[in-house]
Amino acid sequence: MARFVTIGEHLIKNQEGFPFATGGLTHLISSIRLAGKIVNSEINKAGLVDDIIGKLGSTNIQGEDQQKLDVYANRIFKDALEARAEVCGIASEEEDDFVAFDDQACKDGNYVLLIDPLDGSSNIDVNVSIGTIFCIYRRISPRGEKAVLGDFLQKGREIVAAGYIVYGSSTMIVLSTGQGVHGFTFDPSVGVFYLSHENLTFPEKGNIYSVNEGNYPFFDDQTKSYLKYCKEHDPATNRPYTARYIGSLVSDFHRNLIKGGIYLYPATTLKPNGKLRLLYECNPLAFLAEQAGGLATNGKTNILDMQPTALHQRCPLIIGSPSMVKEFESYIN
Ligand code: AHM
Ligand code: MG
């Protein structure tokens, strides 16, 4: 671990050569880092404190049960971002509509942030890793005014920075500002994220496939043929592949990034647009995947080229090692 290289240090170093960088993005990312530490500390108490685990009894706009920690994490990230006043608004899985901050300092902010504050939160009660996923855009509405819907409905190609926090056996922030993907591991004894994984890149090909195969009867024929291919015995191509599915997108993505693999949440007859949300789940991970030499598609189009039409829009996601995603595409086309 590169001790003494913290996220802040790393970002400042990366800004050298960008004379017009104002430090605003670094300041913004520091608020995510702070909120991440607070959420991490609360998650670590999940088995000890009865009133923080389990369902809240409410549903989000997508009709899904909200966990107490979903709502807690949403509030912490929202408050931290509003306090630092670099973003003029946020969109979140846990908010019905986008939130345009009223404060004038926020209205002067250059950026908007889209976030899934606690992804895979149904895993909290069983002590399985969960995550936070986010991406940042430059606003398109005029500075000084409130954020508008169009600020949030930008293509993934316009992302300025994206990342995730994985609350796992250790807590990590994996981040890209468009200059590769870097991982920072939290040292709880000092409360600092240190650079631990510089220039993360997807292995060109791995042998892990991650999919909820319980949905098999509801996949289309091409997806079924691809999954049969994954399970065939062919030593020359290292098949059958190994099945690994945590049911926690950040953790499945993170493992595949390190070891090489493909994650799939395809369309099903029950969910014709898949399950995952384009704006704050698929787009940030697609940006990170490309920055790490990987690929992300909905089966027809590169995720980053999709034009969003709604805040909570869903889309199929196939993401991971480049030659494995291409292999999948060869079954679809
Ligand atoms: P969530 O945002 O409600 O937590 O749902 C997203 C999660 C992903 O983390 C995970 O990959 C997927 O849903 C699992 O879904 P399923 O249980 O249908 O396999
Ligand atoms: Mg989610």
Side-chain angles (χ1 to χ4, degrees), residues 71 83 88 108 132 137 153 169 178 185 212 215 229 277-278 280:
V71 173
C88 57
D108 289 337
T132 296
Y137 292 87
L153 298 185
S169 45
T185 301
N212 183 345
N215 290 329
Y229 166 85
R277 272 53 54 116
L278 173 61
Y280 41 79

Side-chain angles (χ1 to χ4, degrees), residues 254-323:
H254 186 67
R255 184 205 50 245
N256 291 351
L257 170 59
I258 307 261
K259 295 192 168 181
I262 184 168
Y263 171 97
L264 308 98
Y265 209 113
T268 67
T269 46
L270 305 177
K271 294 176 184 156
N273 294 316
K275 175 183 183 188
L276 302 171
R277 272 53 54 116
L278 173 61
L279 295 193
Y280 41 79
E281 292 176 324
C282 303
N283 266 339
L285 295 185
F287 178 82
L288 289 165
E290 285 206 5
Q291 283 292 320
L295 282 173
T297 177
N298 64 13
K300 297 188 182 87
T301 309
N302 185 307
I303 295 288
L304 297 176
D305 293 324
M306 289 179 69
Q307 176 58 59
T309 53
L311 277 184
H312 300 291
Q313 178 177 348
R314 295 176 194 263
C315 81
L317 177 67
I318 296 90
I319 190 165
S321 288
S323 66

